[in-house]
Amino acid sequence: MSTPSLRHVLGALLLLAVPAAGLAHTGGTTGYAVITVSRGTVRYEATLPTAVLPSDLAEALRLAQGGDAPSREPLLDLVRKHIVLRAGDVRCEPGPGEVVPGAFPAPTFTIRVDFACGRAPRELTVQDDTFEILGPDHHTLARIEAPAGTQQFAFAPETRVGHFPTETAPETSRATGSFVLLGIHHILSGYDHLLFVIGLLLPGGDLLSLAKIITAFTIAHSVTLSLAVLQVVTLPDRLIEAVIALSIAYVAAENLIGRPAVSRRWLVSFCFGLVHGFGFSSALRELGLPAHGLLLSLLGFNVGVELGQALVVALCLPLLILLRRTRWSHPAVVTSSVAILVVGLVLFLERAFL
C-alpha cells in the first residue's frame, strides 16, 4: 500500500477513536414536553435543561430565579414564538404563561404556556422550532394528552412537525418513526458507545467472530434498555456513566496487554453491553408514557440505535480489513487503542469524581 493511502486509513481510524472527551453519550440535550388538549385550550409545558440556554436567556433565568418577574418574559417567548400549534387550519394563539425556575442554580426549569384555539381541535398540529435557539443537537420528547388517549413524539431538527388526532385513535407509524430517527441520532452522537464498539473490533478476527461480538452487544443492551425504560430495573445514572467509561478503557487495555481471544470476546461485549443499555435508557425514561405508548417508542428507538450502529460498523470494517493487509496493522491498533484508553480514563475520572 502506498504511503498516502496508509496515511488516509490511519487518519480515519484515529478520527473515529479520538472524539471530544467531554461529550456524553446522550447525543445532545433533551427536553420533555407535555401537551394537554382541553376543549379549546391547549397547554404546552416544557422542562428544559438550564445548560441548553444561550447566554441572554441564561441570564434571564438567573434573574427570574432571583424573583425578577419581568425576566420571565424572554423565557416565555421561547415557547410563544417558536412553538406553533394549529387546530386544523386555525393557528392557536399563545396566552398566559408561567416559568418555574427553581432555586439557583437548578439543572432544569419548566415553562407553561396556554394556547387558545377557539374550538376543540379534531387534529392538533405541533411545530417545534426551538432548535433555532437551543441548537441543532437538542431534541424534545413530547407526550400529548388528548381525549383520544396519550400519544408520543420525538421532536428534532429533522422532525419538527407532528400531527395528532384528538378524538380518534392515532396512527402510530409516524410517532414510532420519529423515535427511530432519535435512536439513530443518539448512537451516532454517542461517542462513548461508538468508542466501545470500535475498541472491540480493532483486534480483528473472522466475520463469524465479529458478528458474534456485535450480536452479543445488541442483545445485551436491548435487554437492559427495555428493563430500565419500563422501570423493572433502574440504576443510578452516575454509576452507569462511570462504568460505561470504564468499559471503554477496559477493551482498549485488553488490546494493548497481549492479544485478546477474539473468539471469546463476545462475552466481554455482552457483559458491558448490559451496562450500555442502561445508558441508552435515560433518553426515554423521563417521558412518563403509559406502557403501551412506551413500548412503541422503545421499539422505534432501539431500531434506530441498531441502524446507527450498523452504519458505523459498515464504515469501520472495510478500513480495518484494508489496514490488516499492511505491515502497519499492529502499530495502528496500538495507537488507536492508546487513544481510546486515554479517552476512557478521562471520561471515567470525570464521571466518577467530578
Side-chain angles (χ1 to χ4, degrees):
M1 177 182 289
S2 66
T3 301
S5 297
L6 175 61
R7 189 179 299 118
H8 292 156
V9 172
L10 289 173
L13 287 172
L14 289 174
L15 281 174
L16 288 168
V18 193
L23 293 172
H25 77 274
T26 51
T29 55
T30 304
Y32 302 95
V34 179
I35 304 170
T36 306
V37 180
S38 178
R39 297 183 179 178
T41 300
V42 178
R43 169 165 287 186
Y44 184 94
E45 178 176 315
T47 298
L48 301 173
T50 304
V52 76
L53 293 175
S55 58
D56 56 334
L57 290 182
E59 176 62 15
L61 178 62
R62 186 186 68 81
L63 294 173
Q65 287 171 327
D68 182 30
S71 296
R72 299 183 181 187
E73 290 304 311
L75 297 166
L76 291 170
D77 284 343
L78 178 64
V79 169
R80 290 169 175 163
K81 294 181 178 180
H82 299 282
I83 298 294
V84 178
L85 305 182
R86 289 186 174 87
D89 57 356
V90 177
R91 179 165 177 166
C92 304
E93 294 299 325
E98 61 177 326
V99 178
V100 184
F104 181 81
T108 63
F109 67 101
T110 299
I111 302 175
R112 298 189 191 100
V113 175
D114 289 327
F115 289 76
C117 300
R119 56 184 171 84
R122 295 179 61 85
E123 180 182 80
L124 180 69
T125 299
V126 181
Q127 180 175 329
D128 186 339
D129 292 323
T130 57
F131 314 102
E132 297 172 2
I133 304 298
L134 304 180
D137 288 331
H138 181 75
H139 46 262
T140 299
L141 305 186
R143 186 175 82 236
I144 298 89
E145 301 282 0
T150 301
Q151 304 167 60
Q152 63 281 334
F153 197 83
F155 288 97
E158 62 274 11
T159 53
R160 295 185 178 212
V161 180
H163 303 280
F164 309 103
T166 62
E167 297 179 352
T168 58
E171 296 182 5
T172 59
S173 58
R174 182 172 174 83
T176 304
S178 72
F179 280 89
V180 172
L181 293 175
L182 177 64
I184 293 173
H185 182 270
H186 192 91
I187 187 66
L188 293 182
S189 301
Y191 299 103
D192 48 3
H193 296 292
L194 295 183
L195 280 178
F196 178 76
V197 173
I198 294 168
L200 286 171
L201 297 178
L202 276 176
D206 56 34
L207 289 179
L208 177 60
S209 297
L210 295 176
K212 287 167 65 177
I213 289 171
I214 296 302
T215 302
F217 183 72
T218 296
I219 292 173
H221 80 63
S222 297
V223 168
T224 49
L225 169 62
S226 302
L227 291 176
V229 170
L230 295 173
Q231 298 194 20
V232 177
V233 179
T234 57
L235 296 174
D237 287 341
R238 186 181 182 89
L239 172 64
I240 293 301
E241 294 293 335
V243 175
I244 287 174
L246 197 60
S247 73
I248 299 168
Y250 176 87
V251 295
E254 193 178 48
N255 292 343
L256 296 170
I257 304 172
R259 184 171 179 82
V262 175
S263 62
R264 295 194 299 273
R265 215 173 196 205
W266 66 270
L267 288 171
V268 175
S269 177
F270 183 84
C271 291
F272 281 121
L274 293 173
V275 179
H276 283 244
F278 285 110
F280 287 131
S281 71
S282 61
L284 294 181
R285 203 170 56 237
E286 300 297 326
L287 190 52
L289 288 171
H292 69 279
L294 188 55
L295 287 172
L296 290 173
S297 300
L298 175 61
L299 174 63
F301 183 80
N302 205 31
V303 168
V305 167
E306 299 315 319
L307 290 174
Q309 181 176 279
L311 175 62
V312 171
V313 172
L315 291 174
C316 287
L317 275 182
L319 290 174
L320 292 171
I321 292 171
L322 186 62
L323 184 62
R324 289 184 198 119
R325 295 175 180 174
T326 74
R327 61 190 178 90
W328 297 97
S329 176
H330 180 67
V333 170
V334 170
T335 302
S336 299
S337 296
V338 168
I340 294 173
L341 175 62
V342 170
V343 173
L345 290 175
V346 169
L347 285 175
F348 173 72
L349 293 173
E350 178 184 53
R351 294 173 180 182
F353 301 107
L354 299 181

